[in-house]
Amino acid sequence: MKLQIAALMSLMGTSMAFTSTPSFATQSSSTSLEATRRESLSSIFTTSAATLATLTTLSTPAFAAREPRPEYLTEPTEAFKESERQRDEFRRNQLLLKKKFTSLLDRLTFESTTEAELVTDLDQLRALVIETGGLPLGIKKDEMVKIIRAKKAKGFWPTNVEISYQGLTREIAYQQSPNREKDTANPL
């Protein structure tokens, strides 16, 4: 450890501590100064080379003792295959639910003209929201509300249809709420 610290210090330019002649000695003639500089530079280079060689020989066994890097899997594991199967099944179910929702919304928007048809479609949408526990992936509450309000803006929208529409929006808000579970032990 001490050897490594000494080697690092010499590499950082403090190798003058290893020289036999101090480089800061003052002499009157310029030739003796040049000689001192030459001696100090040569001693710096020799000590640096020696410490570098020492470091490489000391550090080689440390690198050899390192654990090998983990190899990447070539084949997926069984757990990964199972989770992929579950994801695919979930996506397929969500696409089927989205198809049901869009068919009901299309019927509500384009085919239903009487009060009874509008109420039935809105009640079926509400029942589908209850059955699925919310909206499927790909259908957002805001988009569905825009579609229904566009139908409402076209004219015929009786009170019973509005009641069914409000019930649908409340049910969606309830199903999407994170506070759906009731605390039965709490009387409030």
Side-chain angles (χ1 to χ4, degrees), residues 30-158:
S30 64
T31 57
S32 63
L33 262 176
E34 288 178 16
T36 310
R37 287 183 191 156
R38 284 185 196 137
E39 289 173 5
S40 63
L41 285 176
S42 67
S43 66
I44 288 173
F45 288 126
T46 56
T47 55
S48 298
T51 53
L52 184 63
T54 306
L55 277 177
T56 56
T57 57
L58 288 177
S59 61
T60 305
F63 289 123
R66 184 185 300 172
E67 292 183 24
R69 290 185 176 179
E71 294 182 23
Y72 290 103
L73 298 175
T74 56
E75 294 293 320
T77 62
E78 292 301 319
F80 179 77
K81 288 178 184 177
E82 177 64 23
S83 68
E84 281 295 312
R85 185 193 62 76
Q86 290 174 351
R87 280 188 211 108
D88 288 341
E89 183 180 331
F90 177 76
R91 287 184 193 124
R92 274 188 255 116
N93 289 341
Q94 289 296 307
L95 286 174
L96 291 173
L97 290 174
K98 184 179 178 181
K99 188 176 181 180
K100 287 181 185 177
F101 270 92
T102 54
S103 67
L104 273 173
L105 281 172
D106 288 343
R107 189 173 69 202
L108 173 73
T109 307
F110 300 114
E111 297 173 11
S112 300
T113 54
T114 66
E115 179 180 352
E117 290 174 342
L118 291 170
V119 169
T120 304
D121 290 342
L122 288 170
D123 288 342
Q124 286 178 354
L125 272 173
R126 183 176 179 195
L128 197 56
V129 167
I130 292 170
E131 177 186 332
T132 59
L135 297 174
L137 293 177
I139 295 181
K140 297 180 180 175
K141 178 185 175 188
D142 295 338
E143 293 173 4
M144 191 169 73
V145 167
K146 284 179 186 177
I147 292 170
I148 296 173
R149 285 187 180 169
K151 174 70 174 183
K152 179 180 177 180
K154 289 181 181 176
F156 183 70
W157 198 259

Side-chain angles (χ1 to χ4, degrees), residues 4-16 18 44 48 51:
Q4 288 178 348
I5 293 173
L8 288 175
M9 297 216 13
S10 68
L11 288 176
M12 293 173 44
T14 58
S15 64
M16 290 180 213
F18 296 100
I44 288 173
S48 298
T51 53

